């Protein structure tokens, strides 16, 4: 549930660990706490409804619980409510409302809210396009430890998007993103290692990126790796394909 989990959050985490063994009792307890106004319980119940954990998937109910928790002041719920409006989960797609909730989450210090709002600003979806504002949010989130934002700070610095180009500063952000576990950051870091002739090191990072990358990312990177002039890099695609056959 993010950094800085409170004692109440830790108690909920312990409760959720009991979910596989006693789903009915755990869900009943979550419902009781949520109805009593506990915002973290409302948020967790919203996630359970969205994911179908110990209940049928009900995106409308999930969004409703997120909305209650968001209106109760929980930044995590503000961000998830923004996701509901952006992706059309439990409601029609409304990018303007998504931006409103992401901004509230960001203003309350949530790194994911900063990242998601920055993505809308960078592309002009639901808000006016503002690459400088997007970079500033990516930078804030990255400096608080958000791995995906670290990679995008590197990209912005390398290409001069929303900030004066500083290619010499980009590699450190790619490395930090890779070490923090972002698969795109791992691929970015590996790309620079390849350019420096460090094939073995690059291959190690690419193995991690391929293991955890999203379907869209894998569809993009596999042809690139398959066309690499380095046999060791081309073999990564063959090895991964063989493992999934």
């Amino acid at each position: 549930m993010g950094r800085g989990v409170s004692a109440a959050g830790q108690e909920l985490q312990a409760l959720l660990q009991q979910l596989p063994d006693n789903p009915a009792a755990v869900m009943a307890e979550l419902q009781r706490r949520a109805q009593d106004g506990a915002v973290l319980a409302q948020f967790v119940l919203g996630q359970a409804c969205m994911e179908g954990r110990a209940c049928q998937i009900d995106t409308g109910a999930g969004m409703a619980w997120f909305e209650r928790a968001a209106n109760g002041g929980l930044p995590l719920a503000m961000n998830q409510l923004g996701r509901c409006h952006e992706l059309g989960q439990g409601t029609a797609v409304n990018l303007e409302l998504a931006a409103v909730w992401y901004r509230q989450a960001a203003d309350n210090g949530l790194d994911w809210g900063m990242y998601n709002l920055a993505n809308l600003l960078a592309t002009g979806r639901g808000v006016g396009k503002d690459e400088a504002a997007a970079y500033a949010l990516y930078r804030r989130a990255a400096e608080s430890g958000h791995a995906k934002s670290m990679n995008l700070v590197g990209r912005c610095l390398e290409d001069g998007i929303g900030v004066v180009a500083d290619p010499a500063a980009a590699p450190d952000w790619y490395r930090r993103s890779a070490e923090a576990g972002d698969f795109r950051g791992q691929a970015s870091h590996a790309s620079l290692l390849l350019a420096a002739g460090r094939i073995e090191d690059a291959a190690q990072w690419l193995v991690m990126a391929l293991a955890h990358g999203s379907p869209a990312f894998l569809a993009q990177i596999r042809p690139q790796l398959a066309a690499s002039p380095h046999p060791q890099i081309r073999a990564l695609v063959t090895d991964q394909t063989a493992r999934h056959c």
Side-chain angles (χ1 to χ4, degrees):
M1 284 187 283
R3 284 185 296 279
V5 177
S6 65
Q10 292 173 352
E11 186 180 350
L12 272 178
Q13 293 280 25
L15 181 64
L16 288 174
Q17 290 176 3
Q18 304 170 32
L19 189 60
D21 298 324
N22 201 351
V26 171
M27 290 300 291
E29 179 63 13
L30 279 176
Q31 286 274 0
R32 184 190 68 77
R33 296 187 188 195
Q35 293 290 0
D36 285 347
V39 292
L40 271 174
Q42 291 167 353
F43 173 74
V44 172
L45 192 55
Q47 286 185 312
C49 291
M50 285 289 181
E51 299 168 5
R53 298 181 64 187
C55 61
Q56 289 188 334
I57 291 177
D58 187 339
T59 57
M63 179 193 162
W65 283 116
F66 288 149
E67 189 166 23
R68 286 182 65 172
N71 285 325
L74 186 67
L76 287 167
M78 296 170 191
N79 179 66
Q80 287 302 113
L81 188 55
R83 293 285 289 171
C84 289
H85 286 298
E86 181 181 1
L87 302 177
Q89 295 176 336
T91 185
V93 171
N94 188 324
L95 296 175
E96 291 79 8
L97 273 177
V100 167
W101 284 109
Y102 287 151
R103 189 177 299 280
Q104 289 202 36
D107 288 347
N108 278 276
L110 186 69
D111 52 4
W112 276 104
M114 299 172 200
Y115 169 80
N116 286 322
L117 178 59
N119 285 341
L120 295 186
L121 287 164
T123 54
R125 293 179 299 125
V127 289
K129 187 173 181 178
D130 189 336
E131 292 177 336
Y135 172 76
L137 283 165
Y138 287 139
R139 186 71 183 239
R140 278 179 60 200
E143 289 176 348
S144 73
H146 192 258
K148 289 185 177 297
S149 293
M150 294 175 189
N151 178 59
L152 287 168
V153 167
R155 183 67 61 207
C156 290
L157 288 168
E158 183 175 8
D159 296 337
I161 302 171
V163 65
V164 175
D166 186 359
D172 184 59
W173 284 107
Y174 290 147
R175 177 189 56 77
R176 290 173 63 180
S177 176
E179 291 174 349
D182 179 54
F183 58 84
R184 293 188 186 277
Q186 290 163 351
S188 298
H189 183 47
S191 177
L192 295 184
L193 292 172
L194 280 174
R198 296 172 58 184
I199 312 304
E200 294 277 350
D201 292 337
Q204 291 177 10
W205 286 109
L206 287 169
V207 166
M208 287 185 273
L210 289 168
H212 302 289
S214 67
F217 168 79
L218 294 175
Q220 178 185 34
I221 197 171
R222 280 172 178 154
Q224 298 173 6
L225 299 183
S228 171
H230 307 291
Q232 187 174 349
I233 301 303
R234 295 197 301 271
L236 296 178
V237 180
T238 305
D239 291 346
Q240 191 194 44
T241 302
R243 283 195 299 272
H244 287 81
C245 287

